[in-house]
Amino acid sequence: MSNCISIFLKKDNIILKIKEKATREEIIDELKKKLPELKRFYKEEKTPILVTGKILKVAEIDEIQSKIQKAINVKVEFDSPRSLGLHGIKKDFKREIASSETKFYKSSLRSGQRVEFEGSIVILGDVNDGAEVIAEDNIVVLGALRGMAHAGAKGNKEAIIAARIIDSSQIRIGTIIKERTREEIDEQAFSYAYVNDQDVIELE
């Protein structure tokens, strides 16, 4: 798989997004090709690198981290947690999130599964393509969000959607819908969605 790693420059870090279906061999081969490009971003400042996209095994995390740090003296972080925990979501929310009754769903959602709740929902796993999560308030996914998420389902535009990575082709907040093509999903890495002042869903 060619071009299985994309590089994005953000304010606080440099993001390496790995395609979900890339094999370990493809990732390492592509990383070797990308390292010269990464080196050009560094002079005196050492902006940390965040690796996101594919859920990696611990051995893969160690190998990627080692190869980057041998070439560049920089801090490398991973969205793939070494153990399940809230540290998988690193986003500092821009707005104050209203508290509400919360339901915890303690596994990943497979295609065809649907979870609804009159409050906020926290998924302790992934939401796979073809699955649906619908909440009257906020939705937080500790893994990857690939299925459809509808936060603020009864019109609450203040609701948010957060995940380790948002790879959904469609998300909804209140009555507002955001659709993305496969190309857009592969080319951009986001973990947080909210409705801005122009009533448009913004992804960060």
Side-chain angles (χ1 to χ4, degrees):
M1 179 184 292
S2 61
N3 295 321
C4 65
I5 300 177
S6 300
I7 299 175
F8 306 100
L9 300 179
K10 297 285 187 178
K11 181 181 178 182
D12 299 321
N13 52 32
I14 293 174
I15 293 179
L16 299 190
K17 184 176 181 184
I18 301 174
K19 288 186 178 178
E20 183 187 337
K21 294 183 180 179
T23 65
R24 186 195 70 81
E25 291 78 12
E26 290 168 341
I27 293 168
I28 298 305
D29 185 58
E30 183 74 9
L31 185 59
K32 290 176 184 176
K33 298 175 185 175
K34 296 284 187 184
L35 279 173
E37 181 181 346
L38 268 177
K39 280 185 180 180
R40 290 199 293 271
F41 295 130
Y42 291 97
K43 291 181 182 176
E44 293 181 6
E45 245 180 76
K46 296 295 181 184
T47 306
I49 292 172
L50 174 63
V51 181
T52 186
K54 178 181 171 70
I55 298 174
L56 300 166
K57 297 176 182 177
V58 172
E60 292 172 327
I61 290 174
D62 290 340
E63 188 172 10
I64 292 168
Q65 185 172 36
S66 174
K67 290 198 177 297
I68 293 175
Q69 291 183 329
K70 278 182 182 178
I72 310 165
N73 181 23
V74 65
K75 184 177 181 182
V76 183
E77 298 179 333
F78 292 81
D79 264 357
S80 293
R82 292 175 185 269
S83 60
L84 183 62
L86 286 167
H87 63 277
I89 296 175
K90 302 177 183 298
K91 181 67 187 176
D92 293 324
F93 296 155
K94 280 189 171 182
R95 65 175 70 190
E96 183 178 343
I97 307 303
S99 61
S100 63
E101 189 175 352
T102 302
K103 177 178 181 177
F104 289 83
Y105 190 89
K106 298 180 181 179
S107 67
S108 295
L109 293 184
R110 300 186 303 273
S111 178
Q113 288 187 294
R114 177 186 177 106
V115 173
E116 295 184 56
F117 186 62
E118 295 178 354
S120 295
I121 296 177
V122 176
I123 304 291
L124 305 181
D126 298 325
V127 177
N128 289 307
D129 190 24
E132 295 183 5
V133 183
I134 301 170
E136 286 190 16
D137 294 313
N138 310 303
I139 294 173
V140 175
V141 180
L142 296 196
L145 173 57
R146 303 185 185 96
M148 196 282 290
H150 187 180
K154 289 193 174 179
N156 178 14
K157 293 191 297 184
E158 297 298 313
I160 60 95
I161 296 171
R164 182 180 62 78
I165 187 167
I166 299 176
D167 274 353
S168 302
S169 58
Q170 183 186 104
I171 57 173
R172 305 177 186 181
I173 298 178
T175 58
I176 302 165
I177 298 173
K178 174 79 172 180
E179 294 186 339
R180 303 163 68 203
T181 65
R182 187 70 253 173
E183 290 74 20
E184 289 172 331
I185 292 170
D186 287 340
E187 290 175 2
Q188 294 175 299
F190 298 112
S191 61
Y192 180 56
Y194 63 97
V195 176
N196 64 22
D197 294 337
Q198 287 75 48
D199 281 348
V200 173
I201 294 177
E202 192 163 329
L203 290 164
E204 294 186 357

